[in-house]
Amino acid sequence: MHKNESVETRNSNYQALVNAYYDLATVFYEWGWGSSFHFSYQLPHESFDESIRRHEYQLASQLNVYEAENILDVGCGIGGPMRTISKLLQSRVTGVTLNPYQVTRGNELNAKDRNANCESIQGDFMQLPFDDQAFDAAYAIEATCHAPDRVQCYAEVLRCLKPGAVFACYEWCMTDKYNANNKEHQRLKKDIELGNGLPDIIDREACLQAMRDAGFEIVRASDLMNVPHVQPWQTPLCSSWNPLSQRFQFNWLGGHLTNVAIWCLETLWLAPRGTVKTQKVLQAGGFALRDAGNAGIFTVMYMMVGRKPET
């Protein structure tokens, strides 16, 4: 779809694109990253896992809800954030994801975590399978970047919220430093889209305007990639020569050894056919995320908080 088709065609076929991508990528993500498929900056002396949880807490703190509330996770993946947020807020969280495998896997993990009150269901956030005013709050973490039309996506969230309720999200966006006429910037953007199953990436102002056009009152908009004195979000994708580090795979030697190991598994029928190709696509997407983040032309943590009007 990325090789031969236009942005418009990918947007119109976003369901096939997203499902194909997550059928391929979900196991890789869980194996290499954990059950929360998102980034975070790291505070000094903070571990990767701690930074992921803090990032989720930070978004949950914007929701303005209390015990026994009903919360919607828009694009829940396999449910790492919703289990964390459910326990933090002592609330029921319903997650929706387009991908059937993620629903099955998410509910397996939900059942194992007895302290979380969560459920994953299959559905399209462009046409949410819920009644009007069904939820007291909603959030999305690096998920609605898959939407072919942000206004329609945000408007569906608005429909499902009670008057006065809050929707908070982290968005993937191009920044003001992105130059559409720069060939290297174009290549990085394309590799991010291809390596992450995205039809297109829009800029921050377009996302914010889409939330306004959907009917939300803007409460907050800020890019957390600009937080000073922290390790930036792309740090886990930067190379390291420590062989015990997850980042070892991002230097030339570690990357080669990883690909060789996966090739051996596929050759011996211990991994399914296509595993090497999938790994290379994800690897190229990871390198593009890293380089675009280092160049400051792309962000994964543009925070927007909107409130549904009371009337």
Side-chain angles (χ1 to χ4, degrees):
M1 293 180 80
H2 272 278
K3 184 176 181 180
N4 300 314
E5 299 183 5
S6 66
V7 169
E8 291 76 16
T9 303
R10 289 196 299 274
N11 276 328
S12 65
N13 291 301
Y14 72 94
Q15 290 183 330
L17 177 63
V18 171
N19 259 328
Y21 175 76
Y22 280 110
D23 280 344
L24 291 169
T26 297
V27 173
F28 284 79
Y29 277 12
E30 186 177 0
W31 171 72
W33 203 261
S35 62
S36 293
F37 297 169
H38 64 81
F39 292 92
S40 175
Y41 61 79
Q42 286 181 249
L43 299 171
H45 311 298
E46 186 177 49
S47 72
F48 173 79
D49 289 339
E50 289 169 342
S51 74
I52 291 292
R53 286 194 298 273
R54 176 190 43 72
H55 201 57
E56 294 164 1
Y57 294 159
Q58 196 165 0
L59 196 67
S61 71
Q62 306 294 316
L63 298 179
N64 195 30
V65 293
Y66 304 98
E67 187 175 353
E69 304 290 351
N70 194 22
I71 300 172
L72 174 63
D73 183 325
V74 183
C76 63
I78 60 172
M82 71 177 180
R83 288 185 288 275
T84 297
I85 290 174
S86 173
K87 289 180 284 189
L88 173 70
L89 298 179
Q90 289 296 291
S91 301
R92 176 170 178 76
V93 181
T94 301
V96 60
T97 176
L98 188 64
N99 185 260
Y101 171 74
Q102 290 189 337
V103 173
T104 301
R105 180 58 180 156
N107 282 325
E108 287 176 355
L109 297 173
N110 292 338
K112 292 179 181 179
D113 192 339
R114 296 182 179 180
N115 293 317
N117 183 7
C118 299
E119 180 185 13
S120 299
I121 69 168
Q122 197 276 332
D124 185 349
F125 53 43
M126 302 298 290
Q127 297 175 332
L128 287 168
F130 307 111
D131 294 335
D132 295 355
Q133 302 184 23
F135 294 94
D136 302 285
Y139 67 87
I141 302 180
E142 302 181 28
T144 50
C145 51
H146 291 287
D149 183 335
R150 292 297 208 291
V151 176
Q152 181 182 336
C153 177
Y154 298 156
E156 272 294 280
V157 176
L158 183 89
R159 177 185 65 78
C160 294
L161 290 177
K162 296 176 182 177
V166 169
F167 171 50
C169 67
Y170 292 129
E171 272 287 6
W172 281 25
C173 302
M174 307 312 295
T175 73
D176 296 340
K177 292 185 178 180
Y178 174 72
N179 181 354
N181 296 317
N182 183 309
K183 290 186 177 181
E184 179 62 10
H185 288 189
Q186 292 173 4
R187 182 189 69 79
L188 290 173
K189 179 176 180 290
K190 183 67 175 180
D191 282 353
I192 292 171
E193 292 165 354
L194 176 60
N196 294 277
L198 305 179
D200 191 24
I201 307 173
I202 60 177
D203 61 46
R204 293 177 296 193
E205 184 53 40
C207 277
L208 189 60
Q209 187 59 49
M211 184 170 274
R212 292 192 189 101
D213 292 344
F216 282 101
E217 299 170 347
I218 304 302
V219 176
R220 177 180 178 184
S222 60
D223 195 340
L224 300 187
M225 73 174 287
N226 297 321
V227 173
H229 312 303
V230 298
Q231 289 188 5
W233 62 265
Q234 67 269 21
T235 299
L237 300 176
C238 296
S239 63
S240 168
W241 286 98
N242 178 359
L244 301 179
S245 169
Q246 169 265 345
R247 293 164 52 192
F248 181 75
Q249 64 181 301
F250 295 113
N251 67 52
W252 68 267
L253 177 60
H256 177 69
L257 292 175
T258 299
N259 289 337
V260 168
I262 293 174
W263 178 85
C264 291
L265 291 172
E266 185 175 333
T267 301
L268 295 172
W269 297 92
L270 297 174
R273 182 180 178 184
T275 302
V276 172
K277 188 174 182 179
T278 302
Q279 162 66 8
K280 288 182 177 180
V281 168
L282 296 176
Q283 196 174 58
F287 291 154
L289 286 168
R290 175 197 65 197
D291 295 343
N294 287 338
I297 65 171
F298 173 76
T299 179
V300 299
M301 52 183 65
Y302 183 52
M303 177 191 277
M304 300 188 298
V305 181
R307 180 182 290 110
K308 182 173 181 175
E310 292 285 354
T311 59

